[in-house]
Amino acid sequence: MPEVKLIGEVGLFGAAILQTHIPEQRHAALVFKDRSKKHLSLLHLAWHYTLKCDPFNAPYRSVPNVHFDEEELEFFAEHASRLYDENTAGIPYGMEYTGASVFNGDLKFIDSPGAGLTCATFILGFFDSLGFDIIDLSTWQNRDDDTQWQSGIFASLEPRLSPERKESQKNLIGAAYRFRPEEVVGSFGVFKSVPIKFSEAVDVGQQLLDEMRKK
């Protein structure tokens, strides 16, 4: 895959990434322009049952996709606004993503004891609801430090979980795939029509991190 610049201006719709205060932790979001507002908004799953729609701000780096036309981007922006309106009660945080639909026909999150998303899989679920597979899940792989990250997430999440959710999330440690924010946002930036394979996503994720550091 030829290398193209990922970070750039977003007019109607795109993705965004933030370097958090934790060195190896990033946060992913969607960025879009609502017709009722003049500024760009950030739609993101901030934490357990905390779906937010905030004004776009400077620490985030935006990533456009030049392969979608203006009509598609307008539709994606409207979709983002509708999805937020349907899920103001929040979406549970969870470590497993299988590619199965996570939003129903009304764009309401399909909740169940084991269900949940991360900031990155929220973006994957969003595009799935539009009929797009941004990444090729069948090629995904576990990595050595996934278990450490999942253990840390579970420790922070555990006090907020019901016994049933607690058990389902605990069982995912070391078993569920991790989808890293930079790899999902980077894959969105280069996506045309064919889902991005794992090895390509790792490369484009690293490129995005390099661009962020240069900025």
Side-chain angles (χ1 to χ4, degrees):
M1 175 182 301
E3 185 172 302
V4 294
K5 191 171 181 291
L6 295 168
I7 294 175
E9 296 295 321
V10 167
L12 291 170
F13 179 90
I17 189 163
L18 173 72
Q19 174 61 60
T20 71
H21 65 280
I22 303 172
E24 293 305 315
Q25 182 73 42
R26 265 71 59 180
H27 184 63
L30 296 171
V31 55
F32 70 100
K33 181 167 283 187
D34 190 309
R35 286 183 175 178
S36 64
K37 300 172 184 175
K38 293 182 178 180
H39 59 72
L40 289 170
S41 296
L42 286 163
L43 178 63
H44 58 113
L45 184 60
W47 191 227
H48 193 49
Y49 285 107
T50 311
L51 182 66
K52 290 187 173 183
C53 191
D54 303 318
F56 179 80
N57 58 69
Y60 279 87
R61 303 298 181 190
S62 57
V63 176
N65 181 302
V66 300
H67 305 296
F68 291 114
D69 62 34
E70 186 168 349
E71 186 176 345
E72 288 174 312
L73 295 174
E74 285 180 351
F75 179 69
F76 295 169
E78 291 176 5
H79 196 79
S81 182
R82 284 183 52 221
L83 190 145
Y84 176 69
D85 289 343
E86 291 297 328
N87 293 279
T88 52
I91 291 172
Y93 198 95
M95 294 183 288
E96 184 175 40
Y97 184 77
T98 64
S101 296
V102 293
F103 298 104
N104 65 22
D106 295 325
L107 299 184
K108 185 79 174 174
F109 182 75
I110 304 169
D111 204 352
S112 67
L117 299 171
T118 66
C119 64
T121 57
F122 169 73
I123 293 177
L124 297 178
F126 173 88
F127 279 105
D128 172 76
S129 71
L130 287 164
F132 294 99
D133 294 323
I134 296 296
I135 63 171
D136 185 346
L137 294 175
S138 69
T139 66
W140 222 253
Q141 300 175 25
N142 283 318
R143 285 164 279 192
D144 292 341
D145 56 351
D146 286 356
T147 299
Q148 181 180 354
W149 179 83
Q150 290 163 346
S151 297
I153 289 293
F154 178 75
S156 298
L157 199 57
E158 186 177 11
R160 302 169 183 262
L161 300 179
S162 66
E164 199 171 9
R165 283 191 188 274
K166 189 181 299 184
E167 185 66 21
S168 67
Q169 292 301 310
K170 185 177 182 180
N171 290 337
L172 294 173
I173 298 173
Y177 290 133
R178 181 185 176 192
F179 301 93
R180 305 186 182 199
E182 62 272 18
E183 293 164 1
V184 170
V185 172
S187 293
F188 160 77
V190 299
F191 177 80
K192 293 182 181 178
S193 59
V194 178
I196 307 300
K197 296 182 183 299
F198 173 77
S199 59
E200 297 169 332
V202 170
D203 289 344
V204 80
Q206 186 58 55
Q207 180 191 336
L208 181 54
L209 293 182
D210 291 343
E211 288 186 28
M212 290 171 67
R213 290 170 185 138
K214 290 176 184 176
K215 290 279 185 180

